[in-house]
C-alpha cells in the first residue's frame, strides 16, 4: 500500500516577501466611471483589498490555524494528494469526506470542522459526530499541480474512493459544494457499497432541461433556473474550459490578477443580500483561500479541471441509488424535480441566508443540515 506521509504547511519567508513586493509593484488598469462591478472587479476596490493583503493580512497566523489540523499527503493514480484528516473524539463517529470546488480550498472548511468532528464541544449531540477527511482537489493547492491530462471529475471520485479505503474507511458519507457537489455524487456511483449518503450544497451538475420539467415552477425555482442560463456569470468557466494555459500566465505572475480572478466569484456567488464579498465572508478567510492558490502556483492546474470536465457538461449521468440530501442557499441553482432525475433525493432544504460558499458564509446552517441528513442514513 502506498505510504501516507504527515504534512505541515511551511511557506518560505522569501515567498511571502515576494508576494508583498509584487503587490507593491502592481501595474493597475484604468476603469470606466460609473460601471460598478458590471465590467468586472473595479480597480478602486481591487487596490484597497490588495493593500490590505500586502500590509495587514497575516499569512503566518492563518498557516498556524490550518496546521492545527492533522494533514497528510499520499500518491494516488500517479498524483500527489494532500488532505486533512481530523478524527472525532467520539468512538462512533461516521467518516465523512468533504470536497471543495473552484475557487475554493481546504480553507473553506475552517468553521465547520470543529462542529462536525466534536459536536459535544459545540453544543450539539455527540451522536452526530464525524471523522472528517478533507482533500485538496488534484491540481489545487497542496495537491497541485497535476502532471498529466485526464483528471476529470470521475477520476477524482475514483481517487477519493481509494483514499478512503487507504484510511481504513469502508463505510462513509460524502459532502461537497461547487465542484464537490458533482464529485460527491460521482463518488457514490464509484463506490455505492461504501458511500451511505451524499449531501451537497448548490447545484448537482449542469443539467439540460426538458420542457415539461419547467412547467409549474415556483417563483424561487424560476429564479434559480435563470442562474443556469446566465451567460454573463459563466464567462470565467468558458475561459478555463478552453484556454486554461493562456490564462495561467497572468494569474501565475500577478498576485493582483490571481486576487481579482477569485474575489470576483466571491462577489457574484455569495449571499445576494450583501454588496461586497467581505460582508458575506470573513475577509481573512477569503484571502487565505486566494493565498493558497498563489503560494502553491496552482492557478493554471486548478483551471485545467474545467478543461478536463467540459466534455461531460450537460451529459446525463446514470441514476444513483445512494440517498442524497441537498441544501440550497441564496443565489445557487437547484430544482428538486431536476435533481431527482439522477439522484435519490431524500432530503431537501432551502435557506434564506448564506450563499454558494456556505461553509464560510453560513457554517451553522450547513452543519445543522449535514447532521439532519446523515441522521437518516447512519
Amino acid at each position: 500500500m502506498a505510504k501516507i506521509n504527515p504534512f505541515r504547511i511551511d511557506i518560505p519567508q522569501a515567498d511571502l516577501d515576494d508576494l508583498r513586493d509584487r503587490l507593491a509593484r502592481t501595474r493597475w488598469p484604468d476603469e470606466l466611471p460609473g460601471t460598478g462591478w458590471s465590467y468586472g472587479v473595479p480597480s478602486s476596490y481591487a487596490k484597497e483589498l490588495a493593500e490590505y493583503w500586502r500590509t495587514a493580512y497575516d499569512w503566518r497566523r492563518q498557516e498556524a490555524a490550518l496546521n492545527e489540523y492533522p494533514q497528510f499527503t499520499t500518491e494516488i493514480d500517479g498524483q500527489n494528494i494532500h488532505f486533512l484528516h481530523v478524527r472525532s473524539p467520539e468512538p462512533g463517529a461516521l467518516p465523512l469526506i468533504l470536497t471543495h470546488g473552484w475557487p475554493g480550498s481546504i480553507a473553506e472548511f475552517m468553521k465547520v470542522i470543529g462542529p462536525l468532528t466534536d459536536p459535544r464541544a459545540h453544543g450539539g449531540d455527540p451522536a452526530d459526530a464525524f471523522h472528517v477527511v478533507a482533500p485538496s482537489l488534484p491540481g489545487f493547492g497542496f495537491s497541485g499541480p497535476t502532471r498529466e491530462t485526464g483528471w476529470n471529475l470521475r477520476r477524482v471520485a475514483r481517487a477519493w474512493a481509494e483514499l478512503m479505503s487507504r484510511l481504513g474507511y469502508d463505510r462513509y458519507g460524502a459532502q461537497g459544494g461547487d465542484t464537490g457537489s458533482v464529485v460527491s455524487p460521482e463518488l457514490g456511483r464509484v463506490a455505492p457499497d461504501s458511500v451511505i449518503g451524499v449531501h451537497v450544497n448548490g447545484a448537482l451538475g449542469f443539467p439540460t432541461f426538458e420542457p415539461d420539467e419547467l412547467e409549474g415552477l415556483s417563483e424561487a425555482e424560476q429564479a434559480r433556473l435563470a442562474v443556469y442560463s446566465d451567460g454573463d456569470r459563466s464567462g470565467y468557466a468558458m475561459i478555463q474550459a478552453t484556454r486554461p494555459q493562456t490564462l495561467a500566465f497572468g494569474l501565475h505572475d500577478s498576485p493582483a490578477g490571481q486576487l481579482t480572478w477569485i474575489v470576483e466569484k466571491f462577489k457574484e456567488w455569495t449571499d445576494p443580500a450583501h454588496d461586497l464579498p467581505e460582508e458575506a465572508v470573513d475577509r481573512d478567510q477569503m484571502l487565505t483561500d486566494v493565498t493558497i492558490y498563489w503560494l502553491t502556483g496552482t492557478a493554471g492546474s486548478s483551471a485545467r479541471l474545467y478543461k478536463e470536465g467540459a466534455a461531460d457538461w450537460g451529459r446525463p449521468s446514470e441514476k444513483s441509488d445512494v440517498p442524497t440530501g441537498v441544501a440550497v442557499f441564496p443565489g445557487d441553482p437547484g430544482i428538486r424535480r431536476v435533481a431527482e432525475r439522477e439522484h435519490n433525493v431524500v432530503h431537501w432544504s432551502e435557506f434564506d441566508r448564506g450563499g454558494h460558499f456556505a461553509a464560510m458564509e453560513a457554517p451553522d446552517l450547513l452543519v445543522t443540515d449535514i447532521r439532519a441528513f446523515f441522521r437518516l442514513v447512519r
Side-chain angles (χ1 to χ4, degrees), residues 102 235-244 247 261 303-304 306-307:
W102 185 92
Y236 82 97
M238 297 301 102
I239 295 173
Q240 296 197 154
T242 54
R243 296 296 182 269
L247 174 68
W261 189 246
R304 288 199 287 266
Y306 284 70
K307 178 78 169 177

Side-chain angles (χ1 to χ4, degrees), residues 182-262:
V182 185
V183 170
S184 299
E186 196 64 26
L187 177 56
R189 294 185 180 95
V190 167
D193 295 333
S194 295
V195 178
I196 66 166
V198 170
H199 181 279
V200 303
N201 52 286
L204 286 153
F206 307 92
T208 56
F209 301 97
E210 301 298 330
D212 60 329
E213 290 178 320
L214 306 182
E215 295 178 3
L217 292 179
S218 68
E219 188 174 329
E221 287 174 325
Q222 290 177 21
R224 290 186 214 128
L225 179 65
V227 175
Y228 283 109
S229 56
D230 186 353
D232 190 58
R233 289 165 59 106
S234 62
Y236 82 97
M238 297 301 102
I239 295 173
Q240 296 197 154
T242 54
R243 296 296 182 269
Q245 184 64 29
T246 306
L247 174 68
F249 289 100
L251 303 188
H252 189 82
D253 190 57
S254 167
Q258 180 70 91
L259 175 69
T260 53
W261 189 246
I262 289 178

Side-chain angles (χ1 to χ4, degrees), residues 63-127:
E63 182 182 69
L66 288 167
N67 280 331
E68 289 180 7
Y69 300 114
Q71 297 174 61
F72 305 88
T73 60
T74 191
E75 184 175 302
I76 300 176
D77 195 9
Q79 175 64 32
N80 175 63
I81 300 295
H82 162 264
F83 61 99
L84 308 184
H85 185 196
V86 188
R87 290 188 59 84
S88 171
E90 306 296 340
L94 174 71
L96 179 68
I97 183 167
L98 301 177
T99 305
H100 66 82
W102 185 92
S105 68
I106 54 163
E108 280 188 55
F109 302 128
M110 297 290 284
K111 294 180 179 179
V112 301
I113 291 174
L116 289 174
T117 57
D118 194 0
R120 189 192 302 268
H122 292 81
D125 184 345

Side-chain angles (χ1 to χ4, degrees), residues 135-310:
S136 299
L137 284 165
F140 288 65
F142 302 102
S143 284
T146 44
R147 301 296 184 186
E148 61 183 359
T149 60
W151 273 100
N152 59 19
L153 300 183
R154 188 167 186 85
R155 188 172 177 183
V156 174
R158 290 198 301 265
W160 278 193
E162 171 61 24
L163 174 61
M164 296 301 276
S165 175
R166 199 171 288 184
L167 293 174
Y169 295 138
D170 57 9
R171 182 179 184 273
Y172 53 89
Q175 200 285 329
D178 192 84
T179 305
S181 74
V182 185
V183 170
S184 299
E186 196 64 26
L187 177 56
R189 294 185 180 95
V190 167
D193 295 333
S194 295
V195 178
I196 66 166
V198 170
H199 181 279
V200 303
N201 52 286
L204 286 153
F206 307 92
T208 56
F209 301 97
E210 301 298 330
D212 60 329
E213 290 178 320
L214 306 182
E215 295 178 3
L217 292 179
S218 68
E219 188 174 329
E221 287 174 325
Q222 290 177 21
R224 290 186 214 128
L225 179 65
V227 175
Y228 283 109
S229 56
D230 186 353
D232 190 58
R233 289 165 59 106
S234 62
Y236 82 97
M238 297 301 102
I239 295 173
Q240 296 197 154
T242 54
R243 296 296 182 269
Q245 184 64 29
T246 306
L247 174 68
F249 289 100
L251 303 188
H252 189 82
D253 190 57
S254 167
Q258 180 70 91
L259 175 69
T260 53
W261 189 246
I262 289 178
V263 167
E264 181 185 76
K265 300 307 133 196
F266 278 91
K267 159 65 176 174
E268 293 189 342
W269 297 348
T270 49
D271 192 331
H274 298 295
D275 292 328
L276 294 175
E278 58 267 37
E279 295 172 0
V281 299
D282 178 82
R283 179 163 56 175
D284 282 357
Q285 190 181 18
M286 178 174 69
L287 287 173
T288 297
D289 183 66
V290 176
T291 307
I292 287 173
Y293 280 82
W294 174 260
L295 294 175
T296 58
T298 50
S301 60
S302 62
R304 288 199 287 266
L305 185 66
Y306 284 70
K307 178 78 169 177
E308 301 290 353

